[in-house]
Amino acid sequence: MIRMTTAITPPATLGVLGGGQLGRMFAQAAQSMGYAVWVLDPDVNSPAGQLANRHICAAYDDKAALQLLADNCAGVTTEFENVPADVLLWLGERVAVAPSGDAVAIAQNRVVEKTFIEQGGVAVAPYVVLDSPEALRAAQARVDLFPAILKTARMGYDGKGQVTVHAAADLAGAWQSLNNVDCVLEQRLPLAFEVSALLARGWDGAVAHYALAQNVHRGGILHTSSVPAPSADAALVERAQTAAAKIAQTMGYVGVLCVEFFILTDGSLVVNEVAPRPHNSGHYTMNACLTSQFEQQVRALTGLPLGATHQTSPCVMLNILGDAWFDAQQNPRAPDWTGVLSEVDSFVHLYGKAEPKPARKMGHVNFVGKRLEKAALRCEAAMRVLGLQGGVND
Ligand code: ATP
Ligand code: MG
């Protein structure tokens, strides 16, 4: 593996695997620092490809495309964990790659990920692996796990590849509905709330923590993040950050890492999953921290000093899904961005996706305020402007 000896400085070229919104915001941060950015993504019209200095439109395992990246980029990162880990390992023999293929391999398989986290002494939800008819029978006997959630071991995101299983009798059918691919069956835990710990770790092992975000999901998709987490006391922040740093250190991780936690009704802390990249719950950093998570990803990859993670204002981040482009009768409509921005201290970020679809992440809005309550009121006013139901916390 290539080790970082001297920092990669502008105007070098950086590569990113994946052209989604995370790749786009990485490219924007890198370009604003003077780097050129090449994006590899098979979609001709991807959010990051649109503004890349060069978009290589090819499959992630296309050898010629990867060779082109290796020949032209000084460093390569990834925007999602489902890129084949051997692609990152192959690139890592040729250029600086962060996070490494080994780290991504852990995060892309829930079974490997849970085993790894548990070995580090951090709790995960009680679970069993479902990978054979014998394992199915053994899982059916684990009545303590029900009601449970069945999750595909690989390729899950935004609640996709998950089914709730109320009782053991429903398990075989639920597994069948996921085509009997390898899964984990997880006990559905009594959640008090959810938080995520975002950090960056450099090649030299330096760690920079961001404030803890408190996350509300709707239908398995992140709805809002409120930062600093209003329900977390200082002791909880400390526990979560210590656990996240330990995971990063054990992985030998370089880059931006996010650890999602469940806080149970009895106060215990359980790791849900790990994202080896910037995270949706870290989008608030774009308007409320000295260094955004995307600039931090650039700095970590290139071996520059990590930026200060100090939060400049409390912030609520609202995810904007494609649903905002349809009224209650499902007729198309244009969201009223002028109305949203008439809330002072609100910041709109849209990802350049041509087709709004329900449940598709189209953008986000950050609301800052002197106090978190103020930011939340601004967010709820904007939700009304956009015709979105409910509030920040539901
Ligand atoms: P993403 O990649 O968007 O984070 P995902 O598809 O990987 O999502 P998870 O993070 O596993 O999905 O789950 C999404 C949400 O579903 C969690 O944030 C939580 O609200 C709920 N959830 C998942 N597992 C459990 C569980 N064991 N007990 C209670 N709630 C759960
Ligand atoms: Mg998740």
Side-chain angles (χ1 to χ4, degrees):
M1 193 179 72
I2 301 281
R3 300 297 308 177
M4 180 68 56
T5 44
T6 50
I8 302 166
T9 50
T13 298
L14 305 177
V16 57
L17 301 177
Q21 61 266 20
L22 300 179
R24 177 182 172 101
M25 291 183 276
F26 166 81
Q28 288 168 329
Q31 287 171 337
S32 79
M33 292 173 79
Y35 293 97
V37 178
W38 287 27
V39 171
L40 174 63
D41 188 294
D43 175 3
V44 280
N45 200 23
S46 69
Q50 290 167 28
L51 46 76
N53 296 75
R54 180 157 173 191
H55 173 197
I56 306 172
C57 190
Y60 296 116
D61 56 358
D62 181 319
K63 267 281 144 69
L66 294 170
Q67 190 66 57
L68 203 58
L69 266 190
D71 290 344
N72 290 281
C73 298
V76 173
T77 189
T78 181
E79 65 130 25
F80 74 139
E81 53 272 39
N82 292 327
V83 33
D86 16 326
V87 162
L88 287 168
L89 291 171
W90 185 88
L91 285 167
E93 299 294 329
R94 289 156 181 83
V95 296
V97 171
S100 70
D102 291 327
V104 171
I106 294 170
Q108 68 188 194
N109 184 317
R110 290 189 197 274
V111 179
V112 180
E113 179 180 64
K114 284 182 193 298
T115 312
F116 180 86
I117 294 166
E118 280 181 302
Q119 280 167 357
V122 185
V124 298
Y127 72 100
V128 290
V129 178
L130 221 61
D131 58 0
S132 67
E134 298 73 48
L136 172 65
R137 279 193 292 278
Q140 285 163 330
R142 285 288 303 274
V143 283
D144 59 304
L145 290 179
F146 296 93
I149 304 180
L150 186 63
K151 303 181 179 183
T152 58
R154 290 175 170 275
M155 300 301 245
Y157 70 98
D158 290 348
K160 292 188 173 67
Q162 296 195 10
V163 250
T164 298
V165 188
H166 293 284
D170 306 327
L171 183 57
W175 195 25
Q176 179 87 56
S177 76
L178 296 173
N179 298 319
N180 297 102
V181 296
D182 288 2
C183 283
V184 294
L185 180 74
E186 240 177 72
Q187 186 181 7
R188 195 169 75 196
L189 297 170
L191 310 188
F193 57 99
E194 295 184 66
V195 296
S196 51
L198 181 72
L199 61 76
R201 188 167 181 273
W203 293 90
D204 59 357
V207 171
H209 289 282
Y210 286 91
L212 216 58
Q214 186 161 331
N215 304 319
V216 175
H217 292 80
R218 281 185 176 179
I221 305 177
L222 186 65
H223 166 48
T224 57
S225 292
S226 297
V227 198
S231 307
D233 59 17
L236 176 61
V237 172
E238 172 76 27
R239 275 158 68 206
Q241 290 185 335
T242 304
K246 180 162 188 192
I247 290 169
Q249 197 187 3
T250 324
M251 287 170 106
Y253 193 85
V254 177
V256 171
L257 180 81
C258 184
V259 181
E260 297 177 20
F261 293 94
F262 297 142
I263 314 302
L264 307 190
T265 44
D266 68 2
S268 55
L269 187 72
V270 167
V271 171
N272 173 24
E273 59 175 354
V274 170
R277 50 171 171 76
H279 192 259
N280 197 164
S281 66
H283 290 354
Y284 82 94
T285 60
M286 297 172 82
N287 299 109
C289 290
L290 288 177
T291 310
S292 80
Q293 61 171 346
F294 300 103
E295 175 169 341
Q296 202 73 297
Q297 183 183 17
V298 176
R299 289 178 181 233
L301 167 65
T302 56
L304 288 171
L306 297 177
T309 50
H310 175 72
Q311 191 176 354
T312 50
S313 318
C315 186
V316 175
M317 188 262 349
L318 170 69
N319 253 351
I320 307 293
L321 305 182
D323 308 66
W325 276 255
F326 300 92
D327 68 16
Q329 286 71 45
Q330 294 307 304
N331 298 312
R333 67 175 174 198
D336 177 8
W337 300 121
T338 312
V340 171
L341 289 171
S342 71
E343 282 303 315
V344 287
D345 297 335
S346 63
F347 300 91
V348 172
H349 302 266
L350 293 168
Y351 308 145
K353 296 185 184 178
E355 203 193 334
K357 289 185 199 156
R360 185 178 200 200
K361 289 178 180 170
M362 300 296 289
H364 65 273
V365 187
N366 287 332
F367 303 89
V368 299
K370 271 217 175 66
R371 290 181 307 114
L372 190 62
E373 294 78 2
K374 187 76 192 162
L377 287 174
R378 289 181 174 135
C379 177
E380 288 180 349
M383 286 177 69
R384 286 191 291 277
V385 168
L386 292 170
L388 306 178
Q389 306 300 311
V392 168
N393 296 309
D394 50 31

